[in-house]
Amino acid sequence: MKGPVRSFGVFTSDLIALCEWLKACQIQTVAMESTGVYWIPLFQMLERNGFEVRLVNASHAKNVPGRKSDVKDCQWLQQLDTFGMLRGSFRPQAQICVLRSYLRLRDTLSKDCNSLVQRMQKALTEMNIQIHRVISDIPV
């Protein structure tokens, strides 16, 4: 299925222009592949603008030989989606995604904090400053 194909940038203004263009083309559903974390802002922008977004596992659509460009790839995804041959991946509700992001960040910061404390303790020990002995020798 051939149709108009355009390229857009990755900045917020570009994503807004993409949504406006899709609305002008009377598009209601969008199928997209998830690659790293780059798909998340686009996915969220499309959802916010009322599109039904189907997040597709890239390996489900890649098994066809001969597609070597982004344009051919997007046209192939469009054709598969039109024929109902793509199944969307599970994506939790927006509130759950926000909570999950906070919890992951908290976990990362906690692990980073522990690592930094261990580095400081090692550096102090290398300088023969043994705070753990000083603190334990203080009478209560």
Side-chain angles (χ1 to χ4, degrees):
M1 179 178 295
K2 301 284 183 194
V5 177
R6 280 186 55 193
S7 294
F8 291 88
V10 296
F11 297 105
T12 303
S13 59
D14 301 320
L15 300 182
I16 292 169
L18 167 66
C19 290
E20 290 171 357
W21 181 69
L22 290 173
K23 285 180 183 178
C25 292
Q26 299 179 336
I27 303 296
Q28 297 172 353
T29 61
V30 176
M32 61 184 287
E33 294 176 339
S34 60
T35 52
V37 295
Y38 302 106
W39 60 272
I40 296 172
L42 175 59
F43 183 94
Q44 292 171 337
M45 183 70 72
L46 290 168
E47 255 191 350
R48 252 183 263 135
N49 280 275
F51 294 98
E52 178 189 330
V53 187
R54 188 168 293 118
L55 191 61
V56 178
N57 185 335
S59 65
H60 295 166
K62 291 284 185 199
N63 296 331
V64 177
R67 294 180 298 107
K68 302 287 190 239
S69 72
D70 287 342
V71 171
K72 289 181 182 177
D73 192 42
C74 79
Q75 290 173 331
W76 176 244
L77 279 179
Q78 178 192 14
Q79 190 171 14
L80 290 176
D81 191 46
T82 301
F83 296 142
M85 297 176 70
L86 295 178
R87 190 177 55 165
S89 300
F90 172 73
R91 174 86 171 147
Q93 293 178 352
Q95 294 170 327
I96 300 297
C97 290
V98 170
L99 177 61
R100 195 164 60 175
S101 294
Y102 284 136
L103 292 174
R104 286 180 179 164
L105 178 60
R106 179 179 178 256
D107 184 55
T108 299
L109 293 175
S110 177
K111 288 176 183 172
D112 289 349
C113 181
N114 292 336
S115 174
L116 293 173
V117 167
Q118 289 173 343
R119 284 186 191 174
M120 286 188 294
Q121 288 174 339
K122 180 182 177 190
L124 290 170
T125 300
E126 288 174 354
M127 292 182 274
N128 200 26
I129 301 172
Q130 299 182 15
I131 292 184
H132 62 282
R133 291 206 178 158
V134 173
I135 293 175
S136 64
D137 292 341
I138 297 175
V140 180

